[in-house]
Amino acid sequence: MNFPCILLLLSTMCAEALPSLHHNHQEQLKNNTSLENRSNGITGAWPSKQHQYYKHRALRRIHGAVNIMGWGVLLPIGAIIARYFKESSNNWYNLHIMSQSSGFILGTLGWGIGITIKNEHHHMSSHGVLGTLIFALATLQPDEEHDSRRYWIIYHNVLGYALIVLIIVNIFQGIGNQKTPKTWDFVYGAVLGVLGVIALALQILRWIYV
């Protein structure tokens, strides 16, 4: 089984497992909350609505953090490794695959959580549509063909950089949907700044010594 198929299988398993786990966890919390409310003499719809609010907020935060780390940090690191360490390190390919695979798995987990959030609201926003497009493009990459390796490399590089741009746009769009976007903007903006400085420094060194 080739590498893209393995990733597709893992992503499908994650996407199918998350709603079930979330449903079981939701039912357990609902039962615990109901028992606690009855013991305290609390009845009515307010405790349920309050529980839904905190649960939804927690899911959104987990969704954002996992996607930022997976799509927004590990995938760009993998691209930096492939671009600047190919000629200087014999282990660059293993590091590239490790970074990309970890980022894809975390991104798939975050995407699955996002699908769970969408199912609660019965509609998908433009942020969700773009996230699904990113997931599809990252998953459905063709196998490398040795007879057309040159064109495969061009396609792989163009798709990779286009995905990074889409990912950054979608992450900031998702951050904008939060009630406290300034903190998330600052944190992810700082991470992008660090990655950008590293890439610029490596590019300058490449111009000088290559």
Side-chain angles (χ1 to χ4, degrees), residues 3 5 13 15 25 36 55 80 95 97 101 109 123 131 149 151 156 167 170 176 178 184 189 198:
F3 183 71
C5 289
M13 292 172 62
H25 179 64
E36 181 179 356
K55 180 203 68 178
I80 290 174
L95 294 174
I97 292 298
S101 301
L109 179 63
H123 73 278
R149 177 174 172 79
Y151 300 103
H156 184 70
I167 286 166
N170 202 38
Q178 301 294 318
W184 290 77
I198 292 174

Side-chain angles (χ1 to χ4, degrees), residues 92-103:
W92 75 268
Y93 184 75
N94 292 331
L95 294 174
H96 172 69
I97 292 298
M98 185 183 302
S99 178
Q100 300 295 85
S101 301
S102 301

